[in-house]
Amino acid sequence: MAVSMIVEQDVPIPMRDGTLTYANVLRPATGRHPVLLCRTSYGKDKRKAEFNTLDPVRAVQRGYAVVIQDVRGRFASEGRFDPFVQEIEDGYDSVEWCAAQPWSTGQVAMYGRSYLGATQWLAALAKPPSLRAIAPGVTASNYYEGWTYQGGALQLAFALAWAAYSLSLGNFGRLARTLDDAAAQRARLWQAVHDLPAAWRFAPLRAWPVLERLAPYYYEWLDHPAYDDYWRRTAIKEHYGRLDLPTFNYGGWFDVFAMGTVENFAGMRGQAPGHGRDSRLLMGPWSHTTLPQNYLGERHFGALGSADAIDLDGWQLRFFDYWLKGMDDGWSEEPPVRLFVMGANTWRSEHEWPLARTEWTR
């Protein structure tokens, strides 16, 4: 039976320092319900992107309230955007706001992928008492190795493009309010994105002027080429041993954060206390941007390779049902790992990662 739904837009969520962030709330019209929180840097009103993570309407029909929030300094939300660092305390405040609403049962979980996955892990580091579970997709185990640097080398193509395009152009309307020459800055930024190879060739890197007023954190990344305390304060892999909550980790074999996804799963299973050891892993034949498709370049993985075929939304909702509602449809008895085997183009279940029967070869 269809559930009548209420949609509220631009609902203010205050942070502890008085900064107002804003969210869209979708919820059943009556009653109190567990809350699924998505904290995004890419715009709460871009519903298509959210559907590719978890369809909020389907979640409401399942009996959840859904909160999709612009993080600090992005789109509708006030403040200065400081990637990763801000998401620890802000994540705590956002979770506890969700738990305190009259339409909430006080049980909160989080979902989302990429940076939206990072906001979940970072909120978990703050240990908000109402956070029961997280479902981070295609995201890293820390934001130095595998995100900004790789083996000690700057991932210039990714870091610069992400800062310029996704974080600056995508949010330029808000950034423009602080600029007295917004039109000129916007034109210069578009030109840089249009010819990224020229930006990559610019030397010295620290002197590239385009992001100085738009994304000062990019230059902070350059100022910390080693894995130091700047990176450690937000490194998920440093804290598995104190994260007592279940996680549903999903990723792609071709994803830029594939190593981080499996490291998060294995780290939680091996080091976390209590329910942290109940974490799950699902890996499909996807890259960072091709999920939920079943092809990559000229390689096709068959109909079963798509996220729709495996019903990735359904896997997340079953996970939330178990941990927020106490509903067990067999979830507790299933193996914790679900893998897509490329070549055979089929899914199979396993009990650990790496597989116990692995034959290690130099």
Side-chain angles (χ1 to χ4, degrees), residues 58-216:
R58 182 176 174 182
V60 171
Q61 295 299 310
R62 188 81 158 226
Y64 292 97
V66 179
V67 177
I68 305 172
Q69 173 194 25
D70 285 336
V71 300
R72 176 188 297 258
R74 301 293 290 170
F75 295 88
S77 292
E78 299 174 354
R80 175 182 178 271
F81 181 58
D82 189 6
F84 309 122
V85 177
Q86 68 179 39
E87 311 305 354
I88 299 175
E89 291 185 351
D90 285 0
Y92 182 106
D93 295 347
S94 301
V95 167
E96 293 308 305
W97 180 90
C98 290
Q101 299 312 298
W103 34 261
S104 168
T105 62
Q107 307 282 316
V108 182
M110 298 179 72
Y111 74 93
R113 58 192 179 103
S114 193
Y115 191 83
L116 288 61
T119 63
Q120 298 174 64
W121 282 112
L122 292 164
L125 293 187
K127 306 190 78 169
S130 303
L131 185 61
R132 298 291 181 263
I134 60 175
V138 291
T139 200
S141 57
N142 79 97
Y143 310 110
Y144 173 78
E145 180 66 25
W147 190 298
T148 312
Y149 290 81
Q150 187 76 52
L154 175 68
Q155 294 199 104
L156 177 62
F158 175 82
L160 188 148
W162 185 50
Y165 186 74
S166 297
L167 300 185
S168 296
L169 271 177
N171 195 42
F172 196 84
R174 165 159 285 284
L175 292 171
R177 302 173 201 174
T178 66
L179 301 172
D180 54 10
D181 57 345
Q185 290 279 346
R186 185 176 185 274
R188 184 167 69 163
L189 182 57
W190 267 114
Q191 180 58 39
V193 170
H194 171 70
D195 189 9
L196 280 172
W200 297 332
R201 289 191 297 268
F202 189 94
L205 297 180
R206 189 64 179 78
W208 195 57
V210 176
L211 294 178
E212 283 179 337
R213 295 162 64 193
L214 304 176

Side-chain angles (χ1 to χ4, degrees), residues 257-274:
F257 303 133
M259 290 296 290
T261 300
V262 296
E263 184 175 31
N264 283 335
F265 165 76
M268 291 294 286
R269 295 283 291 189
Q271 301 176 39

Side-chain angles (χ1 to χ4, degrees), residues 17 26 72 106 139 190 223 251 312 352:
D17 63 355
L26 301 84
R72 176 188 297 258
T139 200
W190 267 114
D223 287 341
L312 184 55
E352 72 284 311

Side-chain angles (χ1 to χ4, degrees), residues 24-44:
N24 294 338
V25 178
L26 301 84
R27 58 184 175 87
T30 59
R32 299 170 66 233
H33 304 274
V35 182
L36 303 182
L37 170 63
C38 176
R39 306 192 65 246
T40 179
S41 57
Y42 301 125
K44 62 181 173 54

